[in-house]
Amino acid sequence: MSNKQTVYWTVDKNIDNLNKLNEIKEAALWIKEGEVVAFPTETVYGLGGNALIDEAIEKIFRAKGRPSDNPLIVHVASKDQVRMLVSEIPDRAEKLMDAFWPGPLTIVLPSNHSVSPRVTANLHTIAIRIPDHPVALALLEEANVPVAAPSANVSGKPSPTTAQHVKHDLNGRIKGIVDGGQTGVGVESTVVDCTEAVPVILRPGGITKNQLEHVVGPVKVDPALEQEGSTPRSPGVKYTHYAPNAEMYLVEQYTQRMQQVVDEFRNAGKRVGVLTTHEGASNYEADLVIPCGFRKDLETVATHLYGTLRQFDEHEIDLILAETFPKEGVGVAIMNRLEKAAGKKVI
Ligand code: TXA
Ligand code: MG
C-alpha cells in the first residue's frame, strides 16, 4: 500500500445532486471495488472501505497502523441497509435511529455476520451509523455497500477534521481523499450499545447522554470510561489516542494556577505551549499560546479541538498545558479526548 499515488478529489458539499459528480462516482467505485478512500463526515474524516471485502478492511488497518482487535464503525445511507447487517433491531435502537440519524450517533447491535469478520474484530456485535454529511451520504449511496470507516488518521494521533490532516497522515498510503472542507462537530460520534435492555454509552461524542435519555429513558455509561483498571467494552477506548507530539498536562483551576505552572516549567528550561480559548488567550505568557474555540460555546471548542492539537505539532515545544472544561453536554466528549491526549496527566 505504501508509495502509491493518492488521488485527490475536491467537492463542494453545498451543491445539489452530489451523486452525479464524476469525483463522487469515481471515489465510490474505488470503495466498492475494495480500495480505501478518505471522506468527510459531520464529525471527523473517515477512511472508508467496503465492509464486505476482507482485503479492503486489511488495507484500512494497515494504512492506519491500527491494532486488529479494534473493530470499525460501519457507515450506511439508509435504515434498510441496517436491516441487512443485524439479527435484530430492538425498539430502543429504532427510537434512537429515528431521533438522531443521520447524525453523530453510532449504535451497537447484534451482528448477523454478513460483513467481513475483520470489521467487527470477531465480536458478535456490529457498530453502525448514518453520517449527516452530504458528501458522505452521496458516496455511500453511490457505492451502495456498507462502508467500514474509522477516523482517517494514523492510529494514536488526533482525528482529522480537514483533508489536509488526512494528507499529512496518510498521503501515499491510501487510494484517495475526497476533500469536502472542514468537518463540523469535530469530535467523533457517540457510541451506544443497544444490545442490552438499558443502552450503554461506550464512547462519549457528538450526542450527549441527556439527548439520548430524552428519547429512550435511562442510559448507562460504561464504568471503564471513568474508572481506571476496568476493561472498556468498546475495544478502541483502551488505546492511547489523540496525542500530540509534545507531552501534555491538564491544568485544573487554570484561572488561578496556569501562569504559575507555565512559569515553573519555563524556569526549568522547558518550552511551554498553552491550550486555551479565545476568552483566555491574552491571560498567558508562554512560548506558544493557541486558543481553541470559545469557552462560552463548547461546540466551537469541539469543532477545533483536533486541529488545535495538530497545530502544536508544528512548533518546537516540550510540553502543552491545557485548560480543563466542564463535563457537561459536549464538554464530556471534549474532556474525554483531552484526558486521553494527556494520558490522564492532571496538574
Ligand atoms: O464519528 C465517528 O464515529 C468517526 C467517523 C469517521 O464516522 N469514526 C470513528 O471510528 O471514530 P473509529 O474507528 O476511530 O472509532 C470506532 C469506535 C472504537 O472505539 C471501537 O472500539 C468502537 O467504535 N466499536 C466499533 N465496533 C464496536 C463494537 N461492535 N462494539 C463495541 N465498540 C465498537
Ligand atoms: Mg479514531
Side-chain angles (χ1 to χ4, degrees), residues 41 43-47 64 66 70-73 75 106 108 119-120 123 125-127 129 131 149-153 159 187-189 191 202-203 233-237 241:
T41 78
T43 58
V44 300
Y45 272 73
L47 179 60
K64 281 181 61 84
R66 183 178 175 106
N70 188 2
L72 309 179
I73 294 171
H75 297 65
T106 294
V108 175
V119 171
T120 53
L123 296 173
T125 54
I126 179 168
R129 82 181 192 99
S151 49
N153 51 290
S159 299
V187 291
E188 297 87 342
S189 61
V191 179
L202 306 185
R203 177 179 74 180
R233 290 171 33 179
S234 178
V237 168
H241 259 97

Side-chain angles (χ1 to χ4, degrees), residues 21-43:
L21 286 184
N22 283 337
E23 289 86 343
I24 295 288
K25 284 187 187 295
E26 205 184 327
L29 190 61
W30 282 122
I31 291 179
K32 188 174 186 157
E33 299 204 328
E35 286 295 343
V36 297
V37 169
F39 62 91
T41 78
E42 80 281 33
T43 58

Side-chain angles (χ1 to χ4, degrees), residues 15-187:
I15 65 170
D16 293 335
N17 297 323
L18 275 166
N19 321 36
K20 300 230 160 71
L21 286 184
N22 283 337
E23 289 86 343
I24 295 288
K25 284 187 187 295
E26 205 184 327
L29 190 61
W30 282 122
I31 291 179
K32 188 174 186 157
E33 299 204 328
E35 286 295 343
V36 297
V37 169
F39 62 91
T41 78
E42 80 281 33
T43 58
V44 300
Y45 272 73
L47 179 60
N50 186 338
L52 306 175
I53 303 180
D54 290 338
E55 259 172 64
I57 307 309
E58 290 281 343
K59 287 177 188 169
I60 292 176
F61 279 93
R62 220 178 306 139
K64 281 181 61 84
R66 183 178 175 106
S68 60
D69 69 343
N70 188 2
L72 309 179
I73 294 171
V74 176
H75 297 65
V76 294
S78 73
K79 247 169 87 177
D80 288 340
Q81 278 180 298
V82 177
R83 287 180 226 293
M84 301 197 287
L85 303 174
V86 302
S87 57
E88 190 205 344
I89 303 184
D91 270 358
R92 52 192 173 274
E94 193 100 30
K95 283 188 188 151
L96 291 174
M97 291 174 190
D98 291 339
F100 299 108
W101 281 1
L105 182 69
T106 294
I107 301 180
V108 175
L109 293 169
S111 169
N112 68 7
H113 302 281
S114 49
V115 298
S116 160
R118 300 290 321 265
V119 171
T120 53
N122 293 313
L123 296 173
H124 294 295
T125 54
I126 179 168
I128 308 176
R129 82 181 192 99
I130 302 183
D132 186 15
H133 193 290
V135 172
L137 289 172
L139 266 176
L140 291 169
E141 277 164 23
E142 268 310 291
N144 199 25
V145 291
V147 173
S151 49
N153 51 290
V154 163
S155 252
K157 287 281 134 198
S159 299
T161 50
T162 65
Q164 288 70 38
H165 296 159
V166 181
K167 181 177 182 187
H168 175 275
D169 282 17
L170 299 176
N171 188 38
R173 301 174 65 84
I174 59 177
K175 181 73 202 176
I177 302 176
V178 182
D179 184 347
Q182 177 161 16
T183 62
V185 178
V187 291

